[in-house]
Every structure is written in C-alpha cells, then in structure tokens.
Amino acid sequence: ATQRKEYRKYRAGLSSQMTPGRINALEDVEFEFCLHRAVWWQKYDELIEYKKRHGNCNVPRNDAHGELGRWVRNQRAQNRRVWKMEK
C-alpha cells in the first residue's frame, strides 16, 4: 500500500519518497500500481476462459462463478450508464 500511496503522491507532484528509479525497478518486476486495473484484467481473463469453455459470456452468479458473474453484471451496468450519458 505504501508504494502505491507514494506513487500517487509522486504522480500528483507532491512530496514523495518515490523516484523514477524506484518506479522503473517496480515496473521491472511487474508491480501493479493500480489494483483496480489489475483486478479488472484478471476478471477479463477469467471471462475469456469462461467463454472458451461455455461458448458465451452469460456467467451465472451462483457459488461456482459468483464473483465472475457479479463482475460481468457490473460491467454490463456500467456500459448501460455510459450509453445513457451519451444519448
């Protein structure tokens, strides 16, 4: 958490212990500065695998696929909100 916090401060131009060298070192080991983005891509990869196995993206929200199913539902809801704003 501290690395991410310092990174945000650095990006905002605030005083931070983060340096370009530290950023490069963390990127070299594929450190994810944005957990939200990392989780999104992880769920996306799970959805790709689900589609390969089942032939669709209609993921149920039951125990076996509950978390992925909720993620898919949330993606669809966000998509609907975007489309409403663009109209």
Side-chain angles (χ1 to χ4, degrees):
T2 301
Q3 301 303 317
R4 290 179 182 93
K5 179 180 171 184
E6 291 298 318
Y7 179 74
R8 283 191 302 270
K9 287 170 38 178
Y10 176 85
R11 298 275 298 178
L14 303 173
S15 177
S16 169
Q17 295 178 9
M18 188 59 64
T19 65
R22 287 182 179 180
I23 292 170
N24 288 337
L26 290 168
E27 288 174 341
D28 286 346
V29 296
E30 298 181 12
F31 181 83
E32 189 61 59
F33 289 100
C34 178
L35 284 179
H36 178 75
R37 181 179 20 231
V39 170
W40 191 95
W41 282 108
Q42 177 186 359
K43 292 299 174 198
Y44 176 79
D45 289 341
E46 289 177 26
L47 181 60
I48 296 298
E49 288 302 312
Y50 182 91
K51 185 174 182 182
K52 285 179 186 176
R53 276 185 254 136
H54 301 279
N56 62 56
C57 293
N58 300 324
V59 184
R61 291 174 292 201
N62 62 17
D63 289 340
H65 302 287
E67 193 173 323
L68 180 59
R70 285 186 292 279
W71 182 83
V72 169
R73 179 188 63 199
N74 289 339
Q75 298 307 304
R76 289 183 174 134
Q78 288 177 8
N79 187 42
R80 283 191 296 274
R81 281 192 290 268
V82 168
W83 281 102
K84 274 186 178 180
M85 288 190 303
E86 290 181 359
K87 288 184 179 183

